[in-house]
């Protein structure tokens, strides 16, 4: 039987602000925790350098994203598009009125009329519906 990558989120055991600050794909919790500590960019600072203050939780609803994004080996996730699809956001982000995904600091802008992202398009009652997209 072939092992499948699973999604894990990491944060401080007792978070001050955000429950999770890193994400990874790994085959097990036992593999995810040291991977996140070694390769993560924020977890050590959030945990004040204390490995045992880190909390790692399996996020089964995101397990299938490894295959979708062609990820075949354990690794910390740094891809903004993938993190956005997992529901992550940047502080102050607005969210799409349709899919509820974050604008990710303007990388996925929302329409000023309908508050929907480009991936969702515009509803029929939006003044932007049916307009051609400008290519720069």
């Amino acid at each position: 039987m072939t092992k499948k990558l699973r999604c894990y989120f990491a944060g401080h055991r007792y978070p001050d602000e955000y429950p999770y600050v890193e994400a990874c794909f790994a085959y097990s919790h036992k593999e995810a925790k040291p991977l996140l500590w070694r390769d993560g960019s924020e977890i050590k600072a959030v945990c004040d350098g204390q490995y045992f203050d880190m909390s790692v939780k399996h996020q089964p609803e995101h397990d299938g994203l490894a295959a979708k994004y062609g990820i075949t080996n354990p690794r910390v996730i740094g891809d903004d598009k993938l993190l956005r699809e997992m529901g992550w956001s940047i502080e102050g982000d607005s969210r799409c009125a349709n899919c509820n995904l974050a604008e990710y600091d303007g990388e996925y802008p929302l329409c000023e009329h309908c508050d929907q992202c480009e991936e969702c398009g515009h509803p029929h009652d939006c003044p932007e519906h049916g307009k051609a997209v400008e290519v720069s």
Side-chain angles (χ1 to χ4, degrees):
M1 179 178 222
T2 181
K3 294 192 294 184
K4 293 193 179 208
L5 288 170
R6 297 165 47 140
C7 181
Y8 295 90
F9 287 0
H12 193 284
R13 181 179 302 190
Y14 305 107
D16 288 333
E17 198 167 352
Y18 302 107
Y20 303 112
V21 297
E22 302 280 3
C24 79
F25 287 111
Y27 292 114
S28 67
H29 184 275
K30 186 176 180 178
E31 179 180 51
K33 193 166 183 176
L35 173 71
L36 287 157
W37 191 257
R38 182 186 67 236
D39 297 344
S41 62
E42 296 183 43
I43 192 67
K44 286 181 185 175
V46 167
C47 293
D48 294 322
Q50 301 299 313
Y51 181 80
F52 293 105
D53 283 345
M54 178 174 55
S55 172
V56 175
K57 299 223 188 291
H58 178 220
Q59 304 293 317
E61 65 274 21
H62 302 307
D63 287 350
L65 293 175
K68 178 180 177 180
Y69 282 82
I71 299 169
T72 57
N73 294 307
R75 69 175 177 95
V76 172
I77 301 164
D79 181 303
D80 288 347
K81 184 174 182 177
L82 176 52
L83 289 169
R84 179 179 178 257
E85 191 167 341
M86 291 177 171
W88 290 53
S89 63
I90 295 175
E91 192 171 337
D93 272 354
S94 295
R95 292 188 173 269
C96 174
N98 188 51
C99 68
N100 200 37
L101 296 181
E103 62 183 342
Y104 233 79
D105 203 24
E107 192 172 335
Y108 301 91
L110 303 180
C111 172
E112 64 184 75
H113 304 288
C114 65
D115 291 324
Q116 290 190 184
C117 64
E118 191 173 294
E119 292 87 355
C120 289
H122 305 278
H124 291 290
D125 60 348
C126 177
E128 297 296 318
H129 178 76
K131 288 186 179 178
V133 177
E134 289 183 29
V135 179
S136 43

